[in-house]
Amino acid sequence: MRMKAAVYHGPRDIRVEQVDRPGAGDNDVLVRVRACGICGSDLHMYRLGMFEVLGRRIDDKRRVMGHELSGEIVEVGEKVSGFRVGDRITGLGHGGFAEYVPVRVTERSPHVLPESVSFEEGATLEPLATSLHGVSLGQPAAGETVVVLGAGIIGLGCVQAIRASVDCRVIAVDASERRLDMARRLGADATVNLTETDPVEAVIELTGGARPVERFGVRGGNADLVIDCAGAPSSPNQGLLMLKQDYGRLVFVALFESPADLDFNQVVRKHVAIHGSWTWTGEDYRRAIELVESGKVRRGPLISHVLDLDDAPEAFAIQDKPDAAIKVVLKP
């Protein structure tokens, strides 16, 4: 049997083609894809050919990207329990920009999608789980100040995760006024447009003025926690400068397309705790579902574009422009 898929041939070369329809392995469920979001890691692959392992391999040259998906189970593997044909699911499946995709059943994924949550919203739960994981590593406490660098889908999810769990001050930093406006709508207390002002100086002023680092002659801020969802070469040092004198926390959620700088003398002097945050746990995902089902977090406003699978090349071009989109979702 054949199916339609958006196939990656190389950087900036996405073609909608007919490919062989996969089946479900013993430990898989086969999902009819209803919605799949374009992720930042998909963009890294689209732009530069990075992280090709995240695509489902078709042959030596072609892959199908897409892992933030939702849909309906049409086939259940022989060793799978807990799922049945017809279940609505959300989860992680490599090759989601297609009509069908096999999803391996593990503790982490997939999960039953409540009837009250749309397939489009279901396709945004994987990045929300990623945001929840990063926030949990940073452990924001009531009354603290948190700076979120980068207001894409992950950064905005961090704003939502914080607002849903703890009463603290949130500052969002980005170059896109559209995304900063969304951050304000989601509850950010202050925003900084890095195209209009030096983000470090702006955060220093927003956190009470400069606190020079003793014996190092460096201006510093007073943020308790910085979550880097930007992945720019300069963002780690910017976050480090924004942190308070002692025992601040720096969490890296973004992936970087090129090596970044980090002044380890400041890390040492300021007793900075650094956390790398990679994806999510099964509990993070279940929490994401719970927050959306309860209405404590609304993901619909973050979906800026919903396009047909046939429009995949256009969808990637749109998602690649920060001012043009927040989250683009493809629907077979």
Side-chain angles (χ1 to χ4, degrees):
M1 296 180 67
R2 304 281 279 176
M3 69 172 184
K4 187 184 297 182
V7 180
Y8 168 85
H9 285 255
R12 300 189 184 276
D13 186 0
I14 306 289
R15 308 176 197 175
V16 180
E17 301 174 344
Q18 290 289 322
V19 300
D20 289 338
R21 172 178 158 175
D26 288 347
N27 297 297
D28 300 338
V29 291
L30 184 66
V31 176
R32 180 185 178 188
V33 180
R34 291 295 194 176
C36 189
I38 299 179
C39 176
S41 58
D42 294 325
L43 284 182
H44 294 313
M45 184 172 168
Y46 169 72
R47 288 193 292 243
L48 299 171
M50 301 173 70
F51 314 123
E52 288 190 349
V53 68
L54 297 177
R56 190 174 72 84
R57 186 171 178 172
I58 300 298
D59 54 34
D60 289 343
K61 295 183 179 180
R62 301 181 300 160
R63 294 178 183 268
V64 179
M65 290 187 275
H67 55 268
E68 303 174 350
L69 62 87
S70 64
E72 298 165 325
I73 294 176
V74 297
E75 184 181 331
V76 177
E78 290 186 3
K79 296 182 180 180
V80 171
S81 61
F83 294 96
R84 61 185 181 182
V85 171
D87 281 348
R88 303 170 83 248
I89 64 94
T90 173
L92 174 72
H94 300 297
F97 296 137
E99 293 179 297
Y100 296 89
V101 63
V103 175
R104 179 61 52 91
V105 176
T106 69
E107 188 278 331
R108 297 178 71 229
S109 171
H111 302 273
V112 173
L113 182 67
E115 290 289 341
S116 61
V117 182
S118 71
F119 284 120
E120 291 86 351
E121 292 170 313
T124 73
L125 292 175
E126 193 272 349
L128 178 58
T130 297
S131 300
L132 286 165
H133 191 66
V135 169
S136 69
L137 289 173
Q139 298 183 323
E144 289 192 326
T145 295
V146 182
V147 179
V148 178
L149 301 179
I153 190 71
I154 301 298
L156 292 170
C158 288
V159 175
Q160 291 184 308
I162 294 166
R163 279 287 165 258
S165 60
V166 62
D167 182 15
C168 58
R169 188 183 186 205
V170 179
I171 302 170
V173 180
D174 200 275
S176 166
E177 193 56 40
R178 176 177 188 164
R179 295 184 175 191
L180 291 174
D181 179 64
M182 180 59 68
R184 290 188 289 269
R185 289 175 55 190
L186 297 177
D189 298 284
T191 58
V192 175
N193 189 321
L194 59 81
T195 68
E196 299 174 355
T197 186
D198 183 310
V200 174
E201 292 299 323
V203 170
I204 285 174
E205 293 308 311
L206 286 167
T207 55
R211 288 164 172 78
V213 180
E214 183 184 358
R215 298 178 184 174
F216 279 70
V218 176
R219 288 168 58 81
N222 198 39
D224 299 281
L225 167 64
V226 175
I227 304 175
D228 189 344
C229 303
S234 59
S235 60
N237 266 339
Q238 289 175 339
L240 186 58
L241 288 166
M242 294 170 183
L243 285 174
K244 60 187 180 181
Q245 287 280 334
D246 292 295
Y247 303 105
R249 290 99 67 199
L250 187 55
V251 177
F252 293 107
V253 182
L255 293 171
F256 291 77
E257 291 186 348
S258 57
D261 295 324
L262 190 63
D263 183 351
F264 278 93
N265 283 333
Q266 283 201 71
V267 173
V268 173
R269 169 59 185 82
K270 298 172 79 171
H271 300 97
V272 175
I274 298 177
H275 299 275
S277 181
W278 174 246
T279 67
W280 38 269
T281 65
E283 184 55 37
D284 294 322
Y285 212 118
R286 287 184 283 274
R287 175 64 172 156
I289 295 171
E290 174 189 311
L291 287 171
V292 173
E293 184 181 21
S294 68
K296 293 180 180 178
V297 167
R298 296 176 59 243
R299 298 294 277 178
L302 277 63
I303 302 171
S304 57
H305 298 74
V306 178
L307 285 82
D308 292 337
L309 183 61
D310 286 332
D311 299 320
E314 178 188 356
F316 270 85
I318 293 171
Q319 186 70 81
D320 196 34
K321 300 174 182 177
D323 276 326
I326 296 176
K327 172 58 72 174
V328 177
V329 171
L330 283 170
K331 295 190 70 174

